[in-house]
Amino acid sequence: AQSVAQPEDQVNVAEGNPLTVKCTYSVSGNPYLFWYVQYPNRGLQFLLKYITGDNLVKGSYGFEAEFNKSQTSFHLKKPSALVSDSALYFCAVIVSGSARQLTFGSGTQLTVLP
Amino acid sequence: NAGVTQTPKFQVLKTGQSMTLQCAQDMNHEYMSWYRQDPGMGLRLIHYSVGAGITDQGEVPNGYNVSRSTTEDFPLRLLSAAPSQTSVYFCASSVQGARGDSPLHFGNGTRLTVT
């Protein structure tokens, strides 16, 4: 089985401060991990992915994520938050080489306060 | 480049009615899928297709049918709408769904209300 957990429904951060959105996963095998962002009344947009190699992955809009195999985590980070980063963020996982489909977390609403 | 186009944007149905949600992509993607999004539950996979003529069930397929006669189109049919199908529906596509490492491209969604 594969699953992903986003332990925080809501994260608030002041503009200019660093932000972290947490994600942990559970898979049998090697994971492919993704972060997506959803703005109001829009579909999800791809931010970044971890497939293999360097544990620190850089993506769109200054976001990055760190793959930690021992802690089975893939937290999303940004050094300096912008008000425009306010959105719903989803973590997703799939087992590499398997026939299973992508599994999404329940989402974390990020609010950046001016 | 339109990407993934979903129609309609909004729909209200009465219990027992049927309808088709349309999805089209112009990126020549092999893989297409339908998700429903409900508050606090993330996205759940309804059906997916790895190519024209091939479809399979996802996590929550009951009450929905799909077909894939062309690479571009992947309609989702609600056979007899129920209030439990009130949700926001997203269509998504990717280049190589079977390998799993290609990101999904999403449409803007269809908000469905069943009364």
Side-chain angles (χ1 to χ4, degrees):
Chain A
Q2 61 186 43
S3 64
V4 59
Q6 294 180 242
E8 300 160 317
D9 292 335
Q10 174 83 40
V11 170
N12 296 328
V13 63
E15 187 175 28
N17 282 1
L19 70 86
T20 299
V21 182
K22 296 180 180 177
C23 172
T24 59
Y25 66 90
S26 175
V27 298
S28 299
N30 293 320
Y32 292 160
L33 293 152
F34 299 81
W35 276 102
Y36 289 85
V37 59
Q38 184 181 31
Y39 298 101
N41 301 313
R42 301 296 299 274
L44 279 69
Q45 298 177 27
F46 169 72
L47 272 181
L48 51 80
K49 67 179 179 181
Y50 171 82
I51 302 300
T52 187
D54 194 349
N55 289 343
L56 184 64
V57 178
K58 294 188 184 296
S60 306
Y61 312 121
F63 284 94
E64 59 188 28
E66 186 167 10
F67 172 66
N68 188 318
K69 188 171 184 177
S70 62
Q71 296 187 1
T72 62
S73 66
F74 189 56
H75 301 330
L76 181 70
K77 300 183 180 184
K78 188 174 182 181
S80 179
L82 300 172
V83 172
S84 57
D85 292 331
S86 298
L88 187 57
Y89 291 81
F90 290 95
C91 183
V93 67
I94 189 170
V95 176
S96 67
S98 79
R100 293 188 63 88
Q101 302 301 305
L102 198 62
T103 297
F104 284 87
S106 56
T108 298
Q109 180 66 48
L110 172 69
T111 300
V112 181
L113 305 168
Chain B
N1 193 351
V4 179
T5 302
Q6 289 184 239
T7 55
K9 287 185 170 57
F10 302 95
Q11 183 70 49
V12 179
L13 292 178
K14 294 186 186 303
T15 298
Q17 287 184 316
S18 63
M19 77 159 295
T20 299
L21 280 62
Q22 301 292 344
C23 175
Q25 52 91 9
D26 61 359
M27 298 171 282
N28 202 32
H29 285 172
E30 295 174 350
Y31 181 87
M32 297 186 73
S33 55
W34 277 101
Y35 289 87
R36 60 177 289 172
Q37 182 180 21
D38 301 292
M41 302 187 72
L43 278 76
R44 292 182 292 168
L45 183 65
I46 304 171
H47 286 284
Y48 65 96
S49 168
V50 298
I54 306 169
T55 64
D56 206 346
Q57 296 181 351
E59 182 185 355
V60 288
N62 292 341
Y64 308 95
N65 272 356
V66 292
S67 60
R68 184 96 179 269
S69 57
T70 67
T71 299
E72 294 78 19
D73 300 301
F74 191 45
L76 178 72
R77 297 182 186 83
L78 280 69
L79 308 174
S80 177
S84 60
Q85 294 178 306
T86 294
S87 187
V88 181
Y89 291 84
F90 288 99
C91 179
S93 70
S94 71
V95 174
Q96 291 172 306
R99 280 178 48 185
D101 61 346
S102 298
L104 291 171
H105 297 253
F106 284 83
N108 285 331
T110 295
R111 187 174 295 273
L112 175 68
T113 302
V114 183
T115 61

